[in-house]
Amino acid sequence: PASVKSASQTTSSVKLSWSAVSGAAGYTVYRYSPSKKAYVKAGTTEGTSLTVKGLYAGTKYTFRVVAYGKTSGGKVYDSASYALLKTATKTATPTLSKVASSSKGKATLTHTNVSGETGYTVYYSTKKDSGFKKYNNFKADTTTCNITKLTSGKTYYFKVRTYITTDSGYVYSPWSAVKSVKVK
């Protein structure tokens, strides 16, 4: 295939899709195994997509997709010709455990530490269900972040999610539940 992309991810699976190869009878997907230092077969399909299951949450993976043809002797591969994708599974959903305001124009958020993340993204709004804007990204293993330059006396709503950076872009976790605080 000319290219392969991750159509969707969960915490335990990655759905891959790719362009069809003229004359191909099917495709075999391989996943790189660091412990074996080799690619291992993850599945075979006659279509142009496959969901690889049984993966670990918040983990980066490298996949190869190889087209094959069929002859009377069986499947024929050109192992030197493949499409490569580096992506990741989603992390677990972070929990926004506390939102407080102890000083003027500032809110402090505390959330759970989720393994495998590159960082966290915080969004805020003055409405509970809409109008959320990105505040900032915070580094991995950050469990407390300060949100400044807020309007005193207003109630703000916050939510957080993790992200993992990969060669094929960002992989985001689901959003945490929304929590609010009236800013001092």
Side-chain angles (χ1 to χ4, degrees):
S3 64
V4 60
K5 61 183 180 179
S6 52
S8 62
Q9 298 96 341
T10 69
T11 56
S12 62
S13 68
V14 174
K15 183 177 181 182
L16 307 172
S17 64
W18 52 87
S19 51
V21 174
S22 179
Y27 306 87
T28 301
V29 175
Y30 297 90
R31 175 184 57 80
Y32 185 75
S33 169
S35 61
K36 295 182 180 180
K37 295 183 180 176
Y39 282 89
V40 295
K41 186 176 176 182
T44 302
T45 181
E46 293 180 2
T48 56
S49 68
L50 180 79
T51 300
V52 180
K53 298 178 181 179
L55 305 175
Y56 295 105
T59 305
K60 291 183 179 184
Y61 289 95
T62 301
F63 298 98
R64 277 184 180 175
V65 178
V66 180
Y68 64 82
K70 285 186 179 177
T71 67
S72 57
K75 294 178 183 175
V76 178
Y77 293 90
D78 178 3
S79 59
S81 180
Y82 56 84
L84 188 71
L85 175 72
K86 293 182 179 182
T87 189
T89 51
K90 290 183 177 185
T91 68
T93 305
T95 300
L96 192 52
S97 51
K98 185 179 178 185
V99 177
S101 180
S102 58
S103 60
K104 190 173 181 180
K106 178 179 167 184
T108 301
L109 282 62
T110 305
H111 57 81
T112 54
N113 187 21
V114 177
S115 63
E117 85 290 9
T118 303
Y120 296 87
T121 304
V122 173
Y123 277 67
Y124 71 101
S125 177
T126 55
K127 298 175 186 174
K128 184 178 181 180
D129 298 320
S130 64
F132 281 88
K133 296 177 185 176
K134 180 179 175 181
Y135 179 77
N136 207 349
N137 289 336
F138 294 91
K139 293 180 182 178
D141 301 325
T142 301
T143 57
T144 301
C145 44
N146 294 312
I147 313 301
T148 59
K149 298 181 182 176
L150 301 174
T151 304
S152 293
K154 271 196 172 184
T155 298
Y156 285 86
Y157 298 86
F158 299 92
K159 60 184 179 178
V160 64
R161 66 180 176 179
T162 67
Y163 64 90
I164 299 174
T165 53
T166 71
D167 289 356
S168 58
Y170 288 90
V171 176
Y172 294 99
S173 74
W175 287 107
S176 69
V178 173
K179 285 205 174 225
S180 65
V181 68
K182 186 173 182 178
V183 176
K184 287 192 173 185

